[in-house]
Amino acid sequence: MAKTALIQRELKREKLVAQYAKKYAELKETSNDAKKSDEERMVARLALQKLPRNANPTRQRTRCELTGRPRGTFRQFGLARHKIRELAFAGDIPGITKASW
């Protein structure tokens, strides 16, 4: 189980990313647009740098929904690998069975 503070930090980041998503997308589009002048692109890059650091979506970390474990998390399930194994053996995940050959 991950520390509660780390899980709360991720929730805080999610809120910041959602809050600044529209502005971030606009500035990113402007800074990458080759049709804009160099001055406009530079202003957009500077504005991007002034946004809060945690507003950047790449700073988010995928965590297990049950334990908060940051590593070994499967996107398809949103769970850590050992929780997937436990739940699959118990038959709680539909369509997942233990491989046998």
Side-chain angles (χ1 to χ4, degrees), residues 20-37:
Y20 287 96
K22 185 177 178 183
K23 188 172 187 176
Y24 185 85
E26 290 171 359
L27 291 172
K28 195 74 170 166
E29 183 180 335
T30 304
S31 68
N32 290 333
D33 190 2
K35 296 177 183 175
K36 302 274 184 181
S37 68

Side-chain angles (χ1 to χ4, degrees), residues 11 22 48 101:
L11 294 175
K22 185 177 178 183
L48 266 174
W101 59 88

Side-chain angles (χ1 to χ4, degrees), residues 28-97:
K28 195 74 170 166
E29 183 180 335
T30 304
S31 68
N32 290 333
D33 190 2
K35 296 177 183 175
K36 302 274 184 181
S37 68
D38 288 340
E39 292 82 21
E40 288 176 316
R41 294 171 67 190
M42 183 59 101
V43 169
R45 287 188 189 115
L46 291 174
L48 266 174
Q49 290 176 2
K50 289 183 181 178
L51 291 179
R53 182 174 285 177
N54 285 332
N56 191 338
T58 59
R59 288 181 61 93
Q60 287 180 309
R61 182 80 187 207
T62 54
R63 289 185 173 269
C64 176
E65 292 292 326
L66 299 178
T67 62
R69 179 181 166 86
R71 295 175 186 242
T73 305
F74 285 67
R75 288 182 189 163
Q76 184 178 2
F77 304 107
L79 300 171
R81 56 187 168 75
H82 65 280
K83 283 295 173 184
I84 290 175
R85 182 180 165 92
E86 287 177 13
L87 295 173
F89 285 164
D92 294 337
I93 302 176
I96 303 291
T97 56

Side-chain angles (χ1 to χ4, degrees), residues 1-4 7 66-69:
M1 186 76 182
K3 287 185 178 179
T4 310
I7 295 170
L66 299 178
T67 62
R69 179 181 166 86

